[in-house]
Amino acid sequence: MTTNHIDQLTEWWNEATPGIPKKGDTYIEDERHRGRSFRIVEAATDHKYGFDNIRILSRAPKPKPAWHDAPAVIATYRDERGMVSGAWVREGKPGYWEGPEGDVVASEALEDVVPLIEAKVTDEMVERVLDVLHAWNDTYPAGIGTKLAAAALGLETE
């Protein structure tokens, strides 16, 4: 190991932030009991306690919410004027949504988000319904699989 490498690790240690590492964070550990040595670690789990020999180099990126790629969502937005709930559609810029009153807000500002999906009955759904009913022997009326799948999705059948 060269002196430059040790100096670089010492610099990282001095610039790192004290704190408790969470899963995915990169931290530097000063292993004083082995002499002045450092090691860089990516946290595999959340740590429960902070130690004076650990400092955080970088936080793990926040995962995208499950509704991140949805074209529209039902959500609530709160600000100093009150609360707006309703359908929000993706605005032109990534991560922004346009609401029922024309408000454009960032994804992080929305609460109680439920993605809206395009619901349609597929042949695979109908086959699955008929399999569950054991209806391949024609004991049920024609079209029952489609009607049951549509009802389960809350779709209008007429």
Side-chain angles (χ1 to χ4, degrees):
M1 200 180 282
T2 66
T3 304
N4 291 339
H5 184 65
I6 293 169
D7 291 344
Q8 179 67 57
L9 290 170
T10 303
E11 183 180 329
W12 287 352
W13 171 260
N14 292 331
E15 292 175 358
T17 308
I20 301 173
K22 302 288 183 201
K23 182 177 182 177
D25 290 349
T26 302
Y27 64 90
I28 185 169
E29 184 175 355
D30 181 1
E31 298 178 323
R32 293 182 196 151
H33 61 281
R34 295 185 184 158
R36 190 76 175 169
S37 65
F38 298 98
R39 71 181 185 137
I40 308 296
V41 181
E42 182 174 318
T45 61
D46 288 351
H47 286 222
K48 296 184 184 205
Y49 309 103
F51 299 99
D52 63 351
N53 69 326
I54 291 177
R55 294 189 181 172
I56 300 163
L57 287 170
S58 65
R59 288 286 185 191
K62 290 185 178 179
K64 294 178 182 176
W67 50 270
H68 179 267
D69 294 327
V73 297
I74 299 288
T76 300
Y77 169 68
R78 299 175 199 272
D79 65 7
E80 62 280 348
R81 296 174 291 168
M83 166 173 100
V84 177
S85 293
W88 295 77
V89 294
R90 189 173 303 285
E91 206 266 334
K93 294 184 282 185
Y96 286 88
W97 300 83
E98 184 172 348
E101 296 179 359
D103 298 325
V104 175
V105 301
S107 295
E108 297 80 33
L110 296 177
E111 303 173 3
D112 303 324
V113 180
V114 177
L116 296 175
I117 61 168
E118 179 184 354
K120 60 183 176 183
V121 176
T122 64
D123 292 339
E124 292 81 12
M125 290 173 141
V126 173
E127 287 179 26
R128 178 73 180 120
V129 168
L130 295 174
D131 281 344
V132 169
L133 292 175
H134 304 289
W136 290 116
N137 59 9
D138 296 328
T139 59
Y140 289 95
I144 191 69
T146 302
K147 289 179 183 176
L148 288 173
L153 291 172
L155 300 174
E156 297 294 327
T157 57
E158 303 281 320

